[in-house]
Amino acid sequence: MICFEPMGERNVDLGVHAGRIVVVSVYAGTRRNEIKFLRGGTSLKEKKVWRTAVHIFVLLYAVACLWLFWQQSVADLSVEGEIPYQSDLPLHISMIVEDGWYYSFTAYAYKLLYVLCGGSTFGIAFFLAAVCTATVYAMESLVCRLGKYEEKSWFTLLLALSLNLVMPVYVRAVGEYRYVSYQAGNIWHNSTYLCMRLAALIALLCYFRLEKKYRQGITWREWCAFALLNVVCTGIKPSFLLAFSPVMGFFLLADLFRRVPLKRILAFGSALLPSGLVLIWQNAVLFGEDTGNGIAFHPWYIFSRHATVTKLAVVCSVLFCVLTVLTTLKQLPKENEYRFIVAMSLLGFLEALCLVENGSRAVDGNFLWGYSFCLFVLFAVCAVKWLKPVQGRLRGILQAGLGLIYGWHLYCGLYFFVNLTAGATYWMK
């Protein structure tokens, strides 16, 4: 619903409240009018109709993901030249089915689904499509929390779906490849990242909820749930923990200086200890003495491998977010969740910037996965900020400009995803 509301002075504003986009009239004294456009009406029935329509879009996305992952799972990576539906999925499946290498918690799921489906990979494809679909709805929960929306609506779901499709703005002179030359939070060729992203998103939501109440104490069930989420997430891929845990520790340390009881801080922080044990197990599996793998300090190595203008490619990957943060810097000290996501994104960027693996995994860019998740949630909080702009004379112009840039990110993502489903490789130009 678009609402025109009277004001005492000329002004323009755009915001979302319970699924409504509200535009404040530029003319003083204009009487209140409601246009049934974006909301689809005010009755409960009309709301359900509009939300059902967006559910259909999500369903179409799920079907497209199912087709994509099924084709990826049976792709023949042994052929020369460009491989249709090329991805890491066949390798991930073969590592557990043929080699018996339990490199990740996803390996257990793949082995079980492969056996249950009689040697077919369709069950694995269905599982990954369900993961991507669940990620859309988990993202909607994050959007509602960050935006403090009173209820989920067609608009919050549509925004969540778009956040699952945005990609870096593509400029051929900056980076030749639409994905490989840049960094993105939405990736469809790496199955472990997709599973980690969903688990990390739920873990982040759990953290935000407990962070509001841990000073008064959390129950043992809440502690166990938060610890288990982090264990599962780390067992899939350790990337989230490497970006999340230091920032959580820093925020807890800041609370200590604010005289929060030490026992409360230790109780909350100790929920990450079980994940540390999983990290030790993964280190032995991936970086044991017989693997030849290790970690090295090599700034800009991964970012520069496929980009033409490396630093501009980094900016193009997160252009909407950079501009949104710059226009809302004054809100950072006031909003804890916003500040946490920005801090986590900065740390994830520094880890991806400076750290690389050596040995057989030297060119894999595995430290990018944590940064990719950070970009995923950074786009979410910046989209919320875009819809609730700061006061100022130029806010209408800034908001329109940011909207165009977000649309550019979304167009690039849609182009990339549609071509993936048609058989293009993730190395597409």
Side-chain angles (χ1 to χ4, degrees):
M1 178 171 61
I2 299 182
C3 302
F4 291 89
E5 300 181 354
M7 294 187 62
E9 57 182 0
R10 293 173 62 89
N11 216 333
V12 180
D13 193 10
L14 173 64
V16 178
H17 178 74
R20 301 184 306 168
I21 289 187
V22 180
V23 180
V24 180
S25 173
V26 297
Y27 298 105
T30 303
R31 67 182 182 85
R32 184 182 182 92
N33 298 291
E34 297 186 342
I35 301 179
K36 298 178 181 178
F37 176 61
L38 292 175
R39 176 80 174 221
T42 57
S43 70
L44 182 60
K45 182 178 179 180
E46 290 173 318
K47 294 176 187 178
K48 288 182 177 180
V49 168
W50 279 79
R51 186 166 172 85
T52 300
V54 183
H55 282 306
I56 294 174
F57 283 111
V58 177
L59 179 61
L60 292 174
Y61 173 68
V63 172
C65 285
L66 176 60
W67 168 259
L68 174 63
F69 298 136
W70 189 22
Q71 296 304 310
Q72 286 181 351
S73 68
V74 297
D76 185 1
L77 302 185
S78 64
V79 301
E80 296 182 0
E82 185 172 300
I83 304 172
Y85 297 103
Q86 180 183 1
S87 74
D88 297 338
L89 185 55
L91 294 175
H92 290 168
I93 296 173
S94 66
M95 281 192 292
I96 179 59
V97 173
E98 298 176 9
D99 303 332
W101 188 28
Y102 292 87
Y103 57 92
S104 164
F105 283 0
T106 56
Y108 296 91
Y110 293 170
K111 184 65 175 288
L112 176 62
L113 291 168
Y114 188 81
V115 172
L116 291 177
C117 293
S120 170
T121 58
F122 182 80
I124 297 174
F126 186 88
F127 168 72
L128 291 174
V131 166
C132 287
T133 307
T135 303
V136 174
Y137 289 99
M139 174 56 79
E140 184 187 20
S141 296
L142 181 64
V143 165
C144 289
R145 181 174 187 89
L146 295 173
K148 297 179 175 59
Y149 301 142
E150 296 176 356
E151 63 181 18
K152 293 181 179 179
S153 67
W154 71 268
F155 184 81
T156 58
L157 183 56
L158 186 61
L159 180 60
L161 178 59
S162 73
L163 288 166
N164 278 264
L165 290 167
V166 290
M167 289 284 288
V169 294
Y170 176 65
V171 181
R172 185 176 292 273
V174 173
E176 184 179 8
Y177 302 99
R178 289 182 174 271
Y179 160 64
V180 181
S181 298
Y182 303 86
Q183 301 83 49
N186 290 308
I187 299 163
W188 293 273
H189 75 276
N190 188 280
S191 61
T192 52
Y193 171 77
L194 293 173
C195 297
M196 182 275 288
R197 184 178 64 171
L198 174 59
L201 191 55
I202 298 172
L204 187 65
L205 284 165
C206 184
Y207 166 76
F208 285 151
R209 186 177 67 83
L210 295 181
E211 194 276 335
K212 295 293 185 183
K213 60 177 296 188
Y214 91 91
R215 296 165 186 81
Q216 290 73 43
I218 58 177
T219 67
W220 68 270
R221 289 183 179 179
E222 291 171 329
W223 186 95
C224 289
F226 183 53
L228 181 60
L229 283 170
N230 281 280
V231 165
V232 171
C233 186
T234 306
I236 298 171
K237 251 187 194 317
S239 311
F240 169 70
L241 186 70
L242 296 177
F244 172 78
S245 57
V247 177
M248 178 179 170
F250 179 81
F251 274 59
L252 290 178
L253 182 61
D255 280 350
L256 182 62
F257 285 99
R258 297 188 185 101
R259 298 184 179 182
V260 175
L262 179 60
K263 64 179 182 179
R264 303 293 191 195
I265 293 175
L266 293 177
F268 191 27
S270 64
L272 296 183
L273 292 179
S275 301
L277 298 177
V278 177
L279 201 60
I280 294 173
W281 164 72
Q282 286 188 323
N283 182 70
V285 172
L286 299 176
F287 302 104
E289 294 182 0
D290 58 341
T291 65
N293 300 325
I295 299 175
F297 181 80
H298 200 330
W300 292 107
Y301 173 72
I302 292 298
F303 286 155
S304 62
R305 290 195 69 243
H306 302 291
T308 306
V309 187
T310 303
K311 295 177 177 62
L312 281 181
V314 171
V315 174
C316 286
S317 300
V318 69
L319 181 61
F320 170 75
C321 299
V322 168
L323 296 177
T324 302
V325 171
L326 288 176
T327 59
T328 56
L329 279 176
K330 292 182 179 179
Q331 298 180 28
L332 275 175
K334 304 174 185 177
E335 300 184 20
N336 198 55
E337 294 170 352
Y338 184 25
R339 188 167 65 250
F340 188 94
I341 290 176
V342 170
M344 190 172 68
S345 301
L346 290 173
L347 179 60
F349 170 73
L350 291 175
E351 290 175 352
L353 173 71
C354 299
L355 300 179
V356 297
E357 294 172 306
N358 49 36
S360 62
R361 297 162 60 88
V363 298
D364 292 347
N366 286 307
F367 280 101
L368 280 171
W369 301 123
Y371 180 48
S372 292
F373 174 76
C374 293
L375 290 182
F376 185 57
V377 293
L378 183 62
F379 264 92
V381 72
C382 288
V384 169
K385 292 300 173 186
W386 163 54
L387 292 169
K388 293 187 175 181
V390 295
Q391 301 294 321
R393 293 181 178 180
L394 299 178
R395 59 182 177 172
I397 297 175
L398 288 173
Q399 193 168 15
L402 289 173
L404 289 174
I405 295 172
Y406 185 82
W408 191 4
H409 280 284
L410 183 57
Y411 167 76
C412 292
L414 285 168
Y415 182 94
F416 186 80
F417 180 72
V418 169
N419 279 276
L420 278 183
T421 60
T425 170
Y426 64 90
W427 289 84
M428 78 175 71
K429 299 179 181 180

